[in-house]
Amino acid sequence: MAEKEKSLNGSNKVLSWQALGLMTFTSVWGFGNIVNGYANQGLKAVVSWILMFALYFIPYVLMVGEMGSTFKESAGGVSSWIRSTSGAKLAYFAGWTYWIVHMPYLAQKPQNMLIAFGWAVFQNGSLTKTISPLVLQSIALVIFFFFLWYASKGVNALKRIGALAGSFMFVMSILYILLALAAPHLTTARTFTYSLNWDTLMPTFDFDYMTTLGILVFAVGGCERLSPYVNNLKKPSSEYPKSMIFMATMVAVTALLGTFAMGLMFDPTNIPKDLMMNGAYYSFSKLGEYYGIGQTFVIIYAICNTLGQAATLAISIDAPIKILLADVDPQFVPKVFTKVNAKGVPVTGYKLTAVLVSILLIVPALGIGDMTSLYNWLIRLNAVCMPLRYLWVFFAYMMLKKHADQYVSAYHFVKSRGLGMLAGFWCFAFTAFACIMGMFPRGVQSGTDTWYFQFAMNILTPLVLIGIGFILPELAKKERA
């Protein structure tokens, strides 16, 4: 044990805060977040991003920085923070939430792979327009089962390829922003022109706008994901907050510049319905036209995205369930749920994953008529479910400030106990509000069968997923009795 601790806390302190900031940025942010923001709000997303960063994301990042500094010896991230501040039972529910909300996320990854494959082969979005949603979702289910089997083998090759592809996609995203903004000055390309005035940029803060907040929260959340790496920094207490601020700065710059770049390509008053699904490919296709290289950018991006989505799917099947089980108190889960095979794979967790993802892939295809609507709905379902895990981050911060006299930290977002608890409550309440508003369907005529179907699925899915977490402790209790 002593040798292991030395390995983790001594000789392994080789990560710079700049490197951790870049790792976190790559994990949190992607070109798809810029596309989704523009698809929902057009150029008005610029002001939305500014407000989101100022009122939510920056406080969020600084809270995570303080907790990472305070619990610098913890290896379990938010679950360890909850265990330290609120006990094992709530730590179990935090770990459960972190894992279970990945189910809609896992259901979308095979879709993304099919779309990327179609663009890599045909250089257009025809694949999703010529095949029925039920058939496409069935193919996606087959892909998912293959990667479920693949992940169960403990194979790491694809994960390494995916990390390389993900890094290359990051480079292409930055390259897109630079080339798109430069296109009007370097080429004869026809771009949209717009005036940067109040009407162009200022959102209308109505009910419809509120339903898009979940997309923005989903885009900027998750910076606590790499908090277990805090031990790899030379000076965790001071360097971890620096890495979070560095990451937040990069996210803000790319979000704003990326939105302006998309405004040059897509008329903000007439945004394509399928922009969330195909917007990245449309963007690189237009970029290739501007610079006279055809579909080269599209093909490169599609290939990298296929590999990146494949690796993300394999990792996301395996890692969250292991995070849940790594530090869970045995009294909250039945023994069969913690059972692992010879390769360390939690078999029962994989089986439950298979059932839930199968339902999320097939059932919606029966009630949503076209692939574009189905894809857009699943993104918005992710925007409802995934931010639920951020609630535990803000709860942990409120508990940290409540018991501030019990902890020592080299960094403080705010030193005032009352102000800290207020900031944590604000972020908690805003996240919950965004999730609730995200349940109301967009882009679907109100009162239709499809609208009611999507609305019902948006409510039932998180309730069922979280509700299963209450069943396991009861089963474990009966097992002990």
Side-chain angles (χ1 to χ4, degrees), residues 107 110-111 114 135-147 354-355 357-359 361-362:
Q111 279 187 344
L114 281 173
V135 173
L136 279 173
Q137 291 297 86
S138 299
I139 296 173
L141 183 60
V142 172
I143 293 173
F144 172 75
F145 279 133
F146 170 79
F147 281 96
V355 172
V357 172
S358 298
I359 293 172
L361 278 170
I362 299 301

Side-chain angles (χ1 to χ4, degrees), residues 233-442:
L233 298 170
K234 294 180 180 178
K235 298 178 180 179
S237 296
S238 59
E239 291 185 340
Y240 186 67
K242 284 184 184 178
S243 70
M244 293 295 98
I245 295 170
F246 178 51
M247 177 272 300
T249 303
M250 289 192 294
V251 168
V253 170
T254 53
L256 297 177
L257 293 181
T259 302
F260 284 125
M262 293 205 71
L264 295 173
M265 290 187 171
F266 303 98
D267 183 356
T269 63
N270 187 26
I271 297 173
K273 181 184 177 183
D274 65 339
L275 194 66
M276 282 204 293
M277 182 167 69
N278 292 312
Y281 305 100
Y282 290 155
S283 299
F284 281 105
S285 179
K286 285 178 177 288
L287 200 63
E289 292 176 10
Y290 291 170
Y291 289 92
I293 60 173
Q295 298 289 75
T296 303
F297 283 139
V298 171
I299 296 172
I300 295 173
Y301 182 83
I303 292 173
C304 290
N305 200 18
T306 302
L307 293 174
Q309 296 291 339
T312 302
L313 178 56
I315 294 169
S316 297
I317 288 172
D318 188 62
I321 183 65
K322 289 184 176 178
I323 290 175
L324 167 64
L325 298 178
D327 198 30
V328 71
D329 192 312
Q331 67 174 312
F332 299 116
V333 292
K335 289 182 180 179
V336 67
F337 200 77
T338 61
K339 179 183 177 182
V340 296
N341 63 15
K343 295 184 177 179
V345 172
V347 179
T348 304
Y350 270 45
K351 290 179 180 178
L352 182 57
T353 300
V355 172
L356 294 174
V357 172
S358 298
I359 293 172
L360 287 171
L361 278 170
I362 299 301
V363 172
L366 302 175
I368 301 177
D370 63 277
M371 193 62 192
T372 298
S373 297
L374 183 59
Y375 183 89
N376 291 348
W377 168 77
L378 200 48
I379 281 186
R380 294 191 174 105
L381 180 63
N382 270 295
V384 171
C385 293
M386 288 292 272
L388 293 176
R389 61 195 175 123
Y390 312 154
L391 295 175
W392 289 106
V393 176
F394 305 127
F395 177 79
Y397 188 74
M398 285 188 283
M399 292 300 101
L400 171 64
K401 301 311 286 188
K402 181 179 180 181
H403 306 290
D405 55 339
Q406 301 178 20
Y407 303 99
V408 177
S409 176
Y411 166 80
H412 296 278
F413 166 41
V414 289
K415 292 188 177 181
S416 168
R417 176 180 299 184
L419 190 58
M421 292 188 67
L422 181 63
F425 177 77
W426 153 251
C427 288
F428 184 99
F430 182 79
T431 303
F433 175 76
C435 290
I436 293 170
M437 293 304 299
M439 293 178 178
F440 294 93
R442 297 189 76 249

